Amino acid sequence: MDLEIVSSHHISFMSDKQKKAARASTTREFDDAMDELRKTNHHAYDWLKKKNPAHWSRSHFSIRSHSDMLVNNLSESFNKVNPYVLCFLLIISNSLIIYVVYGQMILEARGKPILTMMETGRTKIMLLIVKKKEEADKWKGTLCPKIKKKLDINIKDSLSCVPSHAGGDKYQVECGPGSQHVVDLVQNSCSCRNWDLTGIPCIHALAVIHVKNEFPETYVQTWHTKQTQIQIYSNFVSPVRGPKQWASLSNMLPILPPPLRRPLGRPTKVRRKEPDEPQTTERLSKRGVEMRCSKCKIIGHNKRSCKGEVGQNILVKRHQVNVRTQQEATPSQQEGTPTQQGAPTQLPTAPTHQEAASR
């Protein structure tokens, strides 16, 4: 399996025309979307042209898997799982794909010793399978809830389509000007390829099913049914006894831990990102932001470098600052009578405790 596909963060930063090419279900729609992209953004066109469309466009996906997922969330889950736990999962399960999706749940066990790490992963998987089995037993109907919701949306949209019988099990369905498709109910196929890709009948197929008065649920692939999910989660993980109940071997040499060599620096817990991936950080830069002291509310310093101008002293300090700014703004007013020049400035006295309490 080639995991070189367009990642989820690439899809999120794509433009509308790039997303249109990625979500196109037929090769004709893909070619038209790429032509529009080439006319508007030539650099994005050249970048996507180097990628294999089978890795990022629905129009070139295989219909064998019946999945139209555009992002590589499944492959990204391998980066979240410790390699030892992956080997452990291969031992306890015949189908690794069921458990790899939940790889992020065992992040807390990656830095623990090997036995503790594997036991933590085994316990979480054991509880997860039981939880999924109990949830599947409570589902109503024959389909999974999310699949039933998608099917209901397609049934509502299929009311605008007009099917015409072309003979045998093939129908011609028209859904507006220029939108005409061929539906084959025996092959479970439609020319739009949406039914082929997902395993869920598209709006064109549902219009034909409605004309034939048949149940849409019967045309959904079996792995989208409740019974299939119950069978998947019926393979439980057996519980394991604790180390104190393990049988001891007298003729076995003790297993010593390998020599510990601590490298320089702090151990990394986050995977190394590719050069084209966004290097996100939790802390934002404060460059260009004016600092304001939370004590004296004056711009230019913070509370660490504050001179202690809090409480009663702040009233005197503010008055001195106001007097100084008035003298600098109006120097001509300083040339007054001798009595005015010699008169001392009356500073407000600091309020007593009783006055402060009364305030």
Side-chain angles (χ1 to χ4, degrees), residues 115-129:
L115 293 180
T116 307
M117 178 182 60
M118 298 180 69
E119 179 62 19
T120 303
R122 186 200 64 81
T123 305
K124 285 183 175 293
I125 294 172
M126 179 184 65
L127 299 177
L128 177 65
I129 295 176

Side-chain angles (χ1 to χ4, degrees), residues 134-151:
E134 294 175 352
E135 291 179 357
D137 291 334
K138 298 178 182 178
W139 291 346
K140 297 180 180 180
T142 59
L143 300 178
C144 300
K146 293 184 178 180
I147 304 300
K148 183 64 170 61
K149 185 177 180 180
K150 293 181 179 180
L151 184 64

